[in-house]
Amino acid sequence: MLTKRYGGHPILRDGLVAGLIGAGSVAVWFLLVDIFSGKPLFTPAVIGSAAFFGLRDPVELVVSMQPVLLYSVVHIFAFAVVGIIASTMLAETERDPHLSWLLVEFFVVLEFGFYAVVALLFTPLLAALAWVNVAVGNLIAAVTMGYYLWRVRPGLRHALLEQLMGHEAPEATQPRGE
């Protein structure tokens, strides 16, 4: 199913590209936040150190590349999985626009699930990671991934417009450059 093509767009490729875009946009966001706060790579170092080495007090943190790289691998993998799931759901929504509510539910469950996991696993570190920065990072990832998937799936735009308008929408055009 992951290699199945809908409207000429393979689900797996679209999902992986969307996931890499999301992971990259979050990484750039936190790199900028960390640089402007005077602590480059602090965010991936603190999360990687907590997840892989049991760090519980961010005051003890010494930024090193090992936890940053380990966290980065997990970060990219997680975004790739989310991208593939989103791409699969979008492909199904193209076929049946009435499933579009699943996209909203997926986003809500994903966001609340993420915050619940962070709260449960990293409670002592929450003071070091500003929630607003995490929320902005997640929003940036959702927008960049969504924009990419929206651009590569003109059939989805057509199907959703048709559902919103309640009748046949004009044919979708191919995005520029394709």
Side-chain angles (χ1 to χ4, degrees), residues 83-147:
I84 291 168
I85 292 169
S87 182
T88 302
M89 292 175 73
L90 286 170
E92 291 301 319
T93 301
E94 262 182 292
R95 292 171 15 115
D96 182 2
H98 294 95
L99 296 175
S100 59
W101 62 271
L102 284 175
L103 296 172
V104 175
E105 286 186 20
F106 174 66
F107 178 75
V108 170
V109 167
L110 189 66
E111 289 301 307
F112 282 113
F114 170 78
Y115 288 116
V117 167
V118 169
L120 289 172
L121 297 179
F122 304 113
T123 300
L125 301 175
L126 291 180
L129 301 175
W131 278 102
V132 70
N133 291 338
V134 173
V136 169
N138 284 348
L139 180 62
I140 291 169
V143 167
T144 56
M145 292 172 73
Y147 180 75

Side-chain angles (χ1 to χ4, degrees), residues 133-169:
N133 291 338
V134 173
V136 169
N138 284 348
L139 180 62
I140 291 169
V143 167
T144 56
M145 292 172 73
Y147 180 75
Y148 168 77
L149 290 169
W150 182 259
R151 293 285 299 158
V152 298
R153 295 193 172 278
L156 175 66
R157 293 192 299 272
H158 177 73
L160 291 177
L161 285 173
E162 186 176 304
Q163 183 184 7
L164 287 172
M165 293 170 47
H167 57 78
E168 190 74 22

Side-chain angles (χ1 to χ4, degrees), residues 2-130:
L2 293 179
T3 58
K4 192 171 185 179
R5 296 174 72 89
Y6 288 96
H9 299 280
I11 294 170
L12 183 59
R13 183 201 67 201
D14 288 350
L16 287 174
V17 170
L20 290 174
I21 289 169
S25 63
V26 169
V28 168
W29 166 250
F30 278 114
L31 180 61
L32 292 173
V33 167
D34 291 349
I35 287 171
F36 284 117
S37 69
K39 300 183 252 177
L41 301 176
F42 176 78
T43 300
V46 80
I47 297 172
S49 295
F52 297 106
F53 303 107
L55 176 73
R56 294 293 170 242
D57 184 359
V59 174
E60 300 171 6
L61 178 69
V62 176
V63 174
S64 67
M65 289 310 293
Q66 187 178 17
V68 170
L69 292 175
L70 287 170
Y71 168 72
S72 296
V73 168
V74 172
H75 176 80
I76 291 167
F77 177 77
F79 269 95
V81 169
V82 169
I84 291 168
I85 292 169
S87 182
T88 302
M89 292 175 73
L90 286 170
E92 291 301 319
T93 301
E94 262 182 292
R95 292 171 15 115
D96 182 2
H98 294 95
L99 296 175
S100 59
W101 62 271
L102 284 175
L103 296 172
V104 175
E105 286 186 20
F106 174 66
F107 178 75
V108 170
V109 167
L110 189 66
E111 289 301 307
F112 282 113
F114 170 78
Y115 288 116
V117 167
V118 169
L120 289 172
L121 297 179
F122 304 113
T123 300
L125 301 175
L126 291 180
L129 301 175

